Amino acid sequence: TGVGAKKDVKKALEYFEKAGDKGCHQAFYNLGRIYALGKDVAKDTTKAAKYFLRGAKLGNTTCQYFVGQHYFL
């Protein structure tokens, strides 16, 4: 959100990725949403699906929902 720091999307993506790699399912949800919405990055539904799937495998129920929607639609 940029509170107390200058907004840096590249750095945010880097830290979300690091957190996800250490097992933080919420980080993968955030990455999925960023790419699904094209928030400050190019919209990329393939990347979004990849991150949602990684979060779903870690037990994030919201990621599981988005993966289910992906397969359903």
Side-chain angles (χ1 to χ4, degrees):
T1 60
V3 176
K6 182 179 172 188
K7 186 173 182 174
D8 186 335
V9 175
K10 185 178 177 182
K11 192 168 287 283
L13 295 174
E14 175 187 333
Y15 277 100
F16 283 141
E17 186 76 40
K18 285 180 181 186
D21 289 343
K22 291 189 183 259
C24 179
H25 58 81
Q26 186 65 35
F28 288 132
Y29 168 76
N30 290 342
L31 286 163
R33 292 292 290 167
I34 288 166
Y35 284 105
L37 298 173
K39 179 77 173 147
D40 296 318
V41 299
K43 186 174 181 175
D44 188 333
T45 56
T46 301
K47 272 189 182 180
K50 177 185 90 167
Y51 287 123
F52 286 140
L53 184 59
R54 289 178 75 184
K57 288 179 179 178
L58 291 174
N60 184 296
T61 56
T62 307
C63 287
Q64 291 167 353
Y65 170 80
F66 282 118
V67 170
Q69 266 198 318
H70 175 76
Y71 283 115
F72 183 72
L73 300 175

